[in-house]
Amino acid sequence: MDVLVIEDEELAVRKLTKLLQDVDNTIRIVGTAASVRASVQWLKSNATPDLILMDIELADGQSFEIFEQTPVESPVIFTTSYDEYALRAFKVNSIDYLLKPIKRHELEASLEKHRKLRNPAENETGGKMAIDALVQQLRQQIQPTEYRKRFLVKHLSQWMPIEVADIAYFYSEEGVSLFRTRSNQKFSVDYTLDELEAMLDPVQFFRANRQFIVDINSVQQIHPYFNNKLKLTLKPSPEEEVLVSRERATEFKKWMGK
């Protein structure tokens, strides 16, 4: 089997080459490329390999750009450092991914999957469609998410921009979504808490329960509570108790840095 390795770290190329040949001594590394530009040139100038192992982050950009600049007819196994849960959904058809550092048994499984799925007709249609879908989904997945940085709120007869960094928590009250600033000002917003949760950086904000989304710096104390719940002391102090459910207590403590 002829394999092209697209990887921008020389040591990683050597390790992957050795691992491939240890797993299957019939594998022939027909080429390597360390950048988008070099990969495109190689694909345009050489016969189509049986398989490509492709790192996502290359010296001059993301490997998705390769697909935009030249047809990729070979099945692709992506190598990446991104979290496996974020990529699990993209194991489709003859396409797979390997998390770095690459483990021998995982490489063996990917190669075996490729052998079972290798079919000329499938590669011409389903495989190409799968690559296109994967590229789009992976691109969306690993691009930095843009979270809200401010909200424009009505105050008396004018509009005011409030920075998210100045917000202590969001909460709902009689069907209305509001937030309280660190200086204890209260404003309403035209979003549900579910919508707000999707807009806010999860490193900074946590959905404590159905009524509260709290900023990590607003949490002053955490108290054990009945039935394995947690009771939070926030600053500024809200008008009602803020409890973290038993189901979310462990996740909350991890979020706080336990």
Side-chain angles (χ1 to χ4, degrees), residues 29-251:
I29 307 300
V30 293
T32 62
S35 65
V36 171
R37 181 179 179 182
S39 301
V40 171
Q41 290 177 342
W42 194 98
L43 289 167
K44 287 181 176 180
S45 305
N46 294 273
T48 300
D50 297 311
L51 179 66
I52 300 174
L53 271 75
M54 181 183 294
D55 189 16
I56 289 179
E57 296 290 344
L58 299 174
D60 57 347
Q62 294 179 338
S63 59
F64 307 128
E65 297 171 33
I66 297 170
F67 297 87
E68 298 170 353
Q69 298 181 35
T70 189
V72 179
E73 305 297 340
S74 307
V76 176
I77 296 176
F78 286 96
T79 60
T80 175
S81 300
Y82 290 99
D83 184 82
E84 100 177 271
Y85 298 105
L87 298 174
R88 181 179 294 166
F90 307 130
K91 284 191 161 218
V92 291
N93 293 343
S94 60
I95 308 215
D96 210 343
Y97 73 93
L98 292 169
L99 288 173
K100 295 180 177 181
I102 297 171
K103 300 177 178 61
R104 179 183 177 124
H105 71 276
E106 292 174 346
L107 177 60
E108 289 175 337
S110 290
L111 293 174
E112 181 62 23
K113 178 179 178 182
H114 168 252
R115 290 189 188 96
K116 287 180 179 178
L117 293 174
R118 188 163 53 186
N119 181 306
E122 186 175 311
N123 285 345
E124 290 173 8
T125 56
K128 180 60 167 64
M129 291 174 64
I131 288 177
D132 291 342
L134 177 65
V135 167
Q136 292 304 316
Q137 293 180 69
L138 279 176
R139 186 191 293 277
Q140 293 172 9
Q141 183 67 47
I142 70 171
Q143 290 297 331
T145 303
E146 288 293 329
Y147 296 109
R148 286 293 289 264
K149 293 182 172 59
R150 68 187 59 82
F151 288 89
L152 192 64
V153 297
K154 192 74 176 289
H155 179 64
L156 300 176
S157 61
Q158 57 186 331
W159 293 92
M160 292 178 54
I162 304 293
E163 299 295 317
V164 169
D166 294 329
I167 298 174
Y169 49 84
F170 295 81
Y171 63 104
S172 63
E173 187 177 273
E174 298 180 352
V176 177
S177 297
L178 307 103
F179 66 78
R180 196 174 291 273
T181 66
R182 302 190 193 285
S183 58
N184 208 17
Q185 293 178 291
K186 182 171 75 173
F187 299 97
S188 64
V189 285
D190 294 327
Y191 300 102
T192 66
L193 288 195
D194 287 345
E195 290 171 332
L196 288 166
E197 185 179 9
M199 297 176 186
L200 300 169
D201 185 350
V203 172
Q204 198 67 27
F205 288 90
F206 187 89
R207 182 73 176 268
N209 53 47
R210 292 176 62 85
Q211 286 76 41
F212 276 85
I213 301 174
V214 301
D215 173 76
I216 197 166
N217 296 312
S218 72
V219 180
Q220 302 299 298
Q221 294 180 326
I222 305 168
H223 309 274
Y225 196 74
F226 176 73
N227 201 22
N228 294 318
K229 296 179 182 178
L230 300 173
K231 181 179 177 180
L232 307 183
T233 299
L234 303 180
K235 183 179 181 181
S237 180
E239 296 170 2
E240 60 181 278
E241 289 185 335
V242 180
L243 302 178
V244 180
S245 69
R246 177 180 59 186
E247 292 76 17
R248 303 217 69 195
T250 299
E251 184 181 353

